[in-house]
Amino acid sequence: MALENNLNGWVDGPPSMRDDGALAIVELHRNVIVDGQPNSGEPIIVTRWSGKLKTTCAGHRLSYDDVRKHIDIVKD
């Protein structure tokens, strides 16, 4: 049985706020610093917990305001 792909492509702005670890792919605004360095504009996978986005690169936390666009991996 094949898994269904429910991804709808890039959406402007941050993903919806959740507190269940749901995944999203985000692209950050150019001025956002991650790990002390400017971001390269490459997509980052994040989980959503306690009003913050946690990255998969060393567990850095981002604000929803840092996100330029997203792809929501988990749909309700």
Side-chain angles (χ1 to χ4, degrees), residues 17-70:
M17 193 172 289
R18 298 173 68 123
D19 194 26
D20 60 1
L23 295 172
I25 303 169
V26 299
E27 190 173 290
L28 304 175
H29 294 290
R30 286 282 180 189
N31 61 340
V32 175
I33 304 296
V34 178
D35 196 20
Q37 299 182 20
N39 75 81
S40 62
E42 296 295 319
I44 297 174
I45 297 174
V46 296
T47 60
R48 293 175 264 185
W49 292 103
S50 301
K52 293 285 183 186
L53 302 170
K54 292 184 181 178
T55 70
T56 57
C57 50
H60 296 286
R61 289 176 177 81
L62 301 167
S63 166
Y64 281 82
D65 293 335
D66 294 336
V67 177
R68 187 171 76 85
K69 60 184 178 178
H70 75 280

